[in-house]
Amino acid sequence: MNDRTEAVKAYLLDLQDRICAALEVEDGGARFVEDAWTRPGGGGGRTRVIENGALIEKGGVNFSHVHGDSLPPSVLSPSRRPSSSFFRVFTAPARRARSVSSSAMR
């Protein structure tokens, strides 16, 4: 993993810690239970659940960082891919080059 990936991962883990701490304070009694897990194909994460609190009946704040050599078949399925019109929404329209006449350059 490169330094930028590690920095983002550290930031997100710290953010998870801060969110959980703030929710525990607001609830006033319940505490998060953590399940740290690893993925055999690469990566892992932390699942945190809080329940039966004074304010929060049940909630979760999760983090995962997974990686591997290939994508699962479900992701590669054509029926799961967005249509080409999906990408046009996020792409700026192409600009046509303007021709400049020689009289305009004087």
Side-chain angles (χ1 to χ4, degrees):
M1 236 179 303
N2 65 41
D3 291 342
R4 291 177 70 189
T5 302
E6 283 298 328
V8 170
K9 182 178 175 183
Y11 171 79
L12 292 173
L13 287 168
D14 179 65
L15 180 60
Q16 182 190 33
D17 291 339
R18 290 183 286 130
I19 291 170
C20 290
L23 289 170
E24 287 176 346
V25 168
E26 288 301 316
D27 186 80
R31 298 284 176 241
F32 279 89
V33 176
E34 180 178 290
D35 176 26
W37 53 273
T38 57
R39 179 177 173 267
R46 298 190 310 196
T47 300
R48 292 184 176 174
V49 176
I50 189 171
E51 58 187 335
N52 301 320
L55 179 64
I56 301 171
E57 183 178 332
K58 188 168 188 174
V61 180
N62 304 314
F63 169 81
S64 63
H65 176 242
V66 297
H67 50 88
D69 295 329
S70 64
L71 294 171
S74 61
V75 173
L76 300 174
S77 166
S79 64
R80 303 273 304 196
R81 285 188 222 142
S83 68
S84 61
S85 62
F86 171 84
F87 296 105
R88 276 185 281 206
V89 172
F90 300 105
T91 305
R95 289 187 174 169
R96 291 191 328 185
R98 288 189 332 175
S99 62
V100 178
S101 68
S102 60
S103 61
M105 297 178 79
R106 292 183 202 164

